[in-house]
Amino acid sequence: GELAALTTRHDGLLNDMTALRTLIDSLPFPVWARDREGRLDFVNAAYASAVETKEPTEAVERNLELLDRSAREEAARMREGGQPYRGRVPAVVAGARRIFDVVEVPTRSGSAGVGIDATEVESIRAEMARSTASPSSRGASHFGACVSAPACTG
């Protein structure tokens, strides 16, 4: 009776966990989990690729960090206070500097996090800021030239 029910429940939870790990491992962005001491205890394939290892287990065994020290320290402070960490932080991915939107949340056994590459969004935002801040941007200079030209005002 009771043992069979526990076994069935255990098998169901194990199946759910396996399904979630399989899904997480197939995501195209880095996902990780940390133990209570802040050491990596799980990373997905995208994380392993970002830190230039062939296997996720190697990244965990070598404790290869994606985020810089200041972001990890801030995440740890938030975690210790029971709060999620959210930030836009730089990271070096396969030798290239990228910008990630990171969320790391406390869990019963430590924390879990994800990093979404925001490099393209950040570069578009910076380009827009540059073009709107400068009166000599292409649109403004074209408009100014047209206003002062006799052919445009006639």
Side-chain angles (χ1 to χ4, degrees):
E2 190 175 328
L3 182 57
L6 283 174
T7 300
T8 300
R9 181 178 161 110
H10 176 267
D11 290 346
L13 290 172
L14 190 58
N15 288 339
D16 290 349
M17 188 183 83
T18 301
L20 287 173
R21 287 273 172 129
T22 301
L23 172 65
I24 289 168
D25 201 45
S26 69
L27 294 173
F29 36 83
V31 177
W32 61 91
R34 297 181 184 283
D35 63 19
R36 285 189 177 92
E37 287 73 45
R39 288 186 53 85
L40 294 170
D41 68 358
F42 168 81
V43 302
N44 71 348
Y47 185 107
S49 177
V51 297
E52 301 185 82
T53 61
K54 299 239 186 278
E55 295 294 326
T57 53
E58 181 183 355
V60 171
E61 288 165 3
R62 295 175 51 200
N63 203 46
L64 297 175
E65 292 290 353
L66 176 65
L67 305 178
D68 67 15
R69 181 181 306 277
S70 64
R72 292 192 320 268
E73 288 172 351
E74 180 63 21
R77 278 192 290 280
M78 298 297 286
R79 183 173 59 246
E80 288 165 8
Q83 299 296 313
Y85 168 79
R86 290 180 178 84
R88 181 164 280 183
V89 299
V92 176
V93 175
R97 185 177 184 281
R98 309 294 293 178
I99 303 293
F100 279 87
D101 284 332
V102 172
V103 176
E104 190 169 302
V105 297
T107 64
R108 290 174 62 174
S109 60
S111 66
V114 61
I116 307 292
D117 192 336
T119 306
E120 302 306 318
V121 171
E122 189 63 23
S123 63
I124 290 169
R125 186 201 62 76
E127 182 61 35
M128 288 178 67
R130 278 192 298 275
S131 68
T132 58
S134 170
S136 64
S137 67
R138 199 157 85 190
S141 62
H142 179 269
F143 177 75
C146 191
V147 168
S148 62
C152 296
T153 59

